[in-house]
Amino acid sequence: MKIQMVDVKNQYLQIKEEIDKGIQDVINDTAFINGPAVKRFKINFEAYLKANTVIPCANGTDALQIAMMALGLKPGDEVIVPAFTYVATAEVIALLNLTPVMVDVDEHTFNLSLDNIKDKITSKTKAIVPVNLYGQCADLERIVEFSKAHNLYVIEDNAQAIGADFIYKNGSRIKAGLVGDIGTTSFYPSKNLGAYGDGGACYTNDAELGEKIRMVANHGQSKKYVHDIIGCNSRLDSIQAAILDVKLKYLDSYAKARIEVANFYDRAFVNVEQIETPLRANHSTHVFHQYTLKIKNGKRNELKDYLNKNGIPSMIYYPIPLYNQKAFTSKETLPITEKLCQEVLSLPIHTEMDEKQLNYISEKVLQFFN
Ligand SMILES: *Cc1c(COP(=O)(O)O)cnc(C)c1O
């Protein structure tokens, strides 16, 4: 029995015929850049998200950069970002000579909440970038309300929560990434909607902003050979689009498979005091990009080693607070981020897991605590 964090190979084998045909069609057309497959995926993804505009691009990091460029943020502007996230979120802020202001996250949802943000706002603050971490939305309704009142933009880094629903207080729902001004996502192969290479997208319900994003991603071009602003070159290639268009049809069933794995783990660990299982927030569905435990007895690293010795991979997302990375000049100490970096452990979760694997993994975890 080989256990992997993600099993892209077996997932491929389930849909091999469709994928192979999609790739072969692109090659037959030789429309490798901006071919019909890209347009088709864009339209189908817009319909899935119920978004006004999807702008496909080269990867999730580019998507964040393009979003910030399209909003016209200027050097020196401050952008609020969680200290507990993947580096890309803060990296592009610094790359554009904006100032990343790193803030702490909620202990139970791992996400930004309004409480983390409020006292970090200054006259230079221009945007907030909540990350919908591990597959669940941040408390976006309150963050967006606050942002509107203070003239701030909200860019949702939705690389990990594609397909999740945000649930408003009145019960209505919207796809993650559409609560703020722009949502960005990644189609990195291990993401919930993964390509067979790199890919990403920005999306928005603001048509005018959508047009600006499209221009930025395409050399600032308004018409062929007419360049109104400085942009960049960031494209989703046709082969990746063809693959994503096939996989998009399965995205909801993939989420369902992940949720079943999460439910299994939840039940298995319910009586272990030293383990905190992931909280399901009222304001969001959870698509479980990661299933992340908090190990409360200081033995997270020992558990990781123990699992590894038993052939079970696990990962620490993320081991180092962003402000402790050499790349960033911001040096502070945020208590919850510090604690989470010591406590979190993500277990294997993907669409192809079977009961035998789940029984084995949970048995070994339980054994460690006995
Ligand atoms: C994966 C990821 C990204 C970056 O996506 P790439 O496609 O690898 O550039 C950005 N933010 C978060 C939270 C991610 O998980």
Side-chain angles (χ1 to χ4, degrees):
M1 179 166 50
K2 179 155 170 38
I3 298 174
Q4 296 170 277
M5 284 303 285
V6 186
D7 188 350
V8 177
K9 178 68 182 280
N10 278 312
Q11 192 191 57
Y12 161 63
L13 293 175
Q14 306 297 319
I15 52 173
K16 181 177 186 314
E17 256 176 59
E18 280 180 281
I19 294 276
D20 291 1
K21 182 178 181 308
I23 294 172
Q24 190 59 55
D25 285 350
V26 173
I27 298 173
N28 290 345
D29 283 355
T30 62
F32 298 118
I33 301 294
N34 288 334
V38 178
K39 222 155 286 156
R40 215 177 310 127
F41 172 64
K42 171 189 155 72
I43 289 167
N44 288 334
F45 198 33
E46 282 166 353
Y48 173 83
L49 295 168
K50 299 190 177 71
N52 178 284
T53 315
V54 166
I55 303 92
C57 67
N59 57 66
T61 309
D62 272 12
L64 284 159
Q65 181 182 332
I66 292 162
M68 286 175 209
M69 289 170 75
L71 291 172
L73 303 184
K74 296 275 169 343
D77 287 351
E78 292 178 2
V79 180
I80 304 270
V81 62
F84 188 68
T85 178
Y86 183 57
V87 66
T89 326
E91 183 182 29
V92 297
I93 299 170
L95 185 70
L96 294 172
N97 289 315
L98 313 168
T99 305
V101 176
M102 295 174 190
V103 310
D104 219 351
V105 294
D106 178 85
E107 181 168 10
H108 300 291
T109 63
F110 311 104
N111 280 326
L112 281 189
S113 70
L114 190 53
D115 298 336
N116 307 121
I117 295 167
K118 268 185 176 158
D119 55 350
K120 296 281 188 157
I121 302 291
T122 74
S123 58
K124 290 185 180 165
T125 311
K126 289 286 145 48
I128 303 172
V129 188
V131 179
N132 297 326
L133 202 70
Y134 301 151
Q136 181 169 247
C137 292
D139 192 356
L140 297 165
E141 185 171 10
R142 293 174 66 216
I143 293 173
V144 167
E145 267 169 21
F146 177 85
S147 302
K148 283 194 175 135
H150 292 79
N151 276 318
L152 309 173
Y153 295 114
V154 174
I155 301 167
E156 284 174 65
D157 181 345
N158 199 41
Q160 300 190 3
I162 200 74
D165 284 337
F166 182 81
I167 305 166
Y168 287 97
K169 280 176 245 162
N170 69 9
S172 68
R173 289 173 177 231
I174 188 170
K175 283 288 173 207
L178 290 167
V179 189
D181 297 285
I182 305 177
T184 67
T185 200
S186 164
F187 306 123
Y188 187 83
S190 63
K191 297 279 155 82
N192 286 29
L193 181 58
Y196 292 177
D198 273 312
C202 293
Y203 49 103
T204 180
N205 273 332
D206 179 334
E208 206 174 308
L209 188 52
E211 181 53 24
K212 188 84 185 291
I213 295 167
R214 197 197 56 71
M215 269 174 68
V216 170
N218 185 28
H219 301 290
Q221 179 172 286
S222 55
K223 280 191 293 212
K224 187 104 178 138
Y225 300 123
V226 177
H227 303 274
D228 296 354
I229 51 173
I230 295 295
C232 57
N233 174 33
S234 187
R235 296 184 287 236
L236 179 69
D237 76 69
S238 303
I239 287 180
Q240 299 308 330
I243 292 162
L244 290 167
D245 199 36
V246 171
K247 291 185 70 177
L248 179 60
K249 289 184 290 190
Y250 300 101
L251 182 57
D252 286 344
S253 65
Y254 288 162
K256 200 159 157 264
R258 287 173 177 276
I259 291 164
E260 274 165 25
V261 172
N263 290 343
F264 184 102
Y265 283 142
D266 278 358
R267 284 193 300 272
F269 306 139
V270 70
N271 291 321
V272 186
E273 228 172 274
Q274 301 96 322
I275 295 178
E276 188 178 314
T277 55
L279 179 99
R280 293 25 169 18
N282 292 328
H283 59 251
S284 180
T285 63
H286 202 321
V287 293
F288 285 100
H289 175 60
Q290 298 298 340
Y291 182 87
T292 304
L293 298 174
K294 287 201 280 174
I295 307 303
K296 308 296 290 179
N297 63 351
K299 296 201 169 147
R300 189 267 317 267
N301 292 350
E302 282 136 89
L303 171 61
K304 188 175 188 341
D305 288 344
Y306 180 80
L307 294 176
N308 192 36
K309 280 196 199 91
N310 285 285
I312 301 167
S314 60
M315 295 292 280
I316 298 166
Y317 304 111
Y318 296 90
I320 304 171
L322 284 187
Y323 49 77
N324 281 348
Q325 300 284 0
K326 269 196 212 149
F328 293 105
T329 50
S330 156
K331 299 294 170 219
E332 47 208 316
T333 305
L334 301 171
I336 294 169
T337 295
E338 296 280 325
K339 201 158 133 219
L340 292 179
C341 288
Q342 300 304 314
E343 288 184 350
V344 292
L345 190 68
S346 300
L347 296 182
I349 189 164
H350 55 77
T351 59
E352 311 303 314
M353 290 185 89
D354 59 34
E355 196 112 329
K356 218 167 111 210
Q357 292 178 331
L358 289 169
N359 276 321
Y360 178 75
I361 296 166
S362 46
E363 218 170 82
K364 289 297 161 191
V365 172
L366 294 174
Q367 250 172 40
F368 176 82
F369 288 103
N370 272 333

